[in-house]
Amino acid sequence: MISKAFFLRALYVRKPQLAVKETADKKKATDEKPTSVLGKVAQAFGSIPDVLLTYTRQTVVAAAFGMALLFMTVMGFDGLAVGYGQSSGLSDVLLGAFRSYGSVMGILGALSYAFFERRLGVRTTGLLGLTCQQLCLIVAVISIWLPGSPFDPKGYFHGMQSWWSRGALPSSNLDTTTLTHTGQNLDSIITFLAGIATARFGLWMADLSIVHIMQEGVPESDRNTVFGVHNALCQTFSLLKDILVIILPDPSTFGICILISYAFVTSGYLSFVYYLLRHPVVKKQGETTDENEEEHKTRL
């Protein structure tokens, strides 16, 4: 978060106009605000159509919505991935090592963003980050069919396994030399965690790129509304992820959650590609100076 704040501050330094408050062209409503609780609630619900219209009419809505779709995934290094690793018998030391590796990849992604953004432009950098994430998550998807994977939805739905009776396997019998646990192959869970940890490199690059695009592409008068709706959508998709895991709580069905998550992440990737194709960068004739080239790289 510190590195992210640093690069956002650097963005404002490079683009001072982002910090200048513009005067809104819209007329302020002269109606008195309701004082009762019911009146305030009714006013809040009544403003939802206008808020959504403000969000959807933005030129960057496809990129922003694509970023929101990335929150509908179980392939983030949160409690779900840690619990999945514990159910496969990984020790806390190995889980901590993977989380540390994921954090390092995220920091490298944030640092790489500044490097690639200056040379490729913010749009290409975002596409590069999302592409890196897609490739790494393919490895995580493949892991559900590797040896040692608990993926067995047919057995689960036929009542052959019960998630409340299985619990987490004890990690004291882990053999780190052969990557097995009490004779069970750990290739699947190791591949899964390595894939999602490495994917954080591209995720952080894409996150900073899309935030950069939104800050430059959304008018200052609409910025508060657009980012508010964007954050609400992100949390909504995150909630849907939790509901999905509640519906499919067993490790044998976690592979289904992985496949659904990858479908949402791919949809976010395609949404960003649609934004790039729908709003291409148009260069003006006669602009060949380095300053103009740098300006074009960051123009939406």
Side-chain angles (χ1 to χ4, degrees):
M1 294 301 296
I2 296 177
S3 60
K4 184 177 180 179
F6 171 79
F7 286 111
L8 288 177
R9 183 180 181 279
L11 172 61
Y12 273 85
V13 172
R14 291 183 55 194
K15 299 288 182 179
Q17 59 270 29
L18 292 176
V20 178
K21 186 175 181 61
E22 300 176 358
T23 57
D25 296 332
K26 301 178 181 179
K27 295 182 180 180
K28 295 183 178 180
T30 57
D31 299 338
E32 295 183 358
K33 296 182 179 180
T35 56
S36 63
V37 176
L38 293 178
K40 292 181 179 179
V41 172
Q43 185 184 43
F45 279 98
S47 63
I48 291 178
D50 294 334
V51 170
L52 294 178
L53 179 61
T54 301
Y55 177 79
T56 55
R57 72 183 180 186
Q58 304 298 323
T59 58
V60 299
V61 62
F65 188 72
M67 179 179 176
L69 289 172
L70 301 182
F71 282 75
M72 174 58 189
T73 178
V74 298
M75 293 185 286
F77 237 120
D78 51 11
L80 298 177
V82 172
Y84 182 55
Q86 289 177 339
S87 69
S88 299
L90 287 184
S91 65
D92 293 337
V93 175
L94 279 178
L95 289 173
F98 274 113
R99 298 197 72 173
S100 300
Y101 170 68
S103 299
V104 171
M105 295 305 296
I107 294 174
L108 290 178
L111 295 175
S112 300
Y113 167 76
F115 175 82
F116 287 110
E117 189 272 333
R118 289 182 177 274
R119 288 159 178 78
L120 303 177
V122 61
R123 294 156 57 95
T124 306
T125 301
L127 181 62
L128 176 63
L130 289 175
T131 302
C132 291
Q133 180 185 226
Q134 285 291 114
L135 295 176
C136 294
L137 292 183
I138 288 177
V139 176
V141 172
I142 294 175
S143 69
I144 66 179
W145 291 289
L146 292 180
S149 172
F151 185 56
D152 185 19
K154 184 177 180 180
Y156 173 79
F157 288 113
H158 282 76
M160 296 177 63
Q161 296 174 340
S162 300
W163 69 273
W164 56 82
S165 63
R166 288 182 60 185
L169 295 173
S171 58
S172 57
N173 297 324
L174 177 64
D175 186 354
T176 57
T177 60
T178 59
L179 293 181
T180 60
H181 177 273
T182 61
Q184 180 182 358
N185 196 310
L186 297 179
D187 291 346
S188 175
I189 186 61
I190 294 294
T191 303
F192 172 77
L193 294 178
I196 65 174
T198 308
R200 297 181 71 85
F201 175 83
L203 175 63
W204 279 60
M205 285 181 59
D207 179 84
L208 290 172
S209 298
I210 295 175
V211 171
H212 188 161
I213 290 172
M214 292 179 64
Q215 287 181 330
E216 289 190 344
V218 178
E220 194 276 337
S221 58
D222 295 335
R223 203 168 290 159
N224 185 49
T225 300
V226 172
F227 276 88
V229 175
H230 174 68
N231 289 332
L233 286 175
C234 292
Q235 297 305 317
T236 299
F237 282 113
S238 180
L239 177 62
L240 291 178
K241 168 203 62 178
D242 296 331
I243 294 175
L244 176 64
V245 177
I246 292 175
I247 297 174
L248 301 171
D250 195 81
S252 62
T253 59
F254 195 74
I256 299 177
C257 299
I258 293 175
L259 294 175
I260 295 175
S261 299
Y262 189 75
F264 273 87
V265 173
T266 302
S267 299
Y269 178 81
L270 295 177
S271 181
F272 186 79
V273 172
Y274 171 78
Y275 162 75
L276 296 180
L277 298 177
R278 183 67 175 80
H279 304 282
V281 176
V282 179
K283 290 187 177 182
K284 297 180 181 179
Q285 295 181 353
E287 293 183 340
T288 57
T289 62
D290 294 339
E291 180 179 357
N292 287 331
E293 290 179 358
E294 180 68 17
E295 180 181 358
H296 281 305
K297 288 181 180 180
T298 57
R299 184 178 299 171
L300 301 179

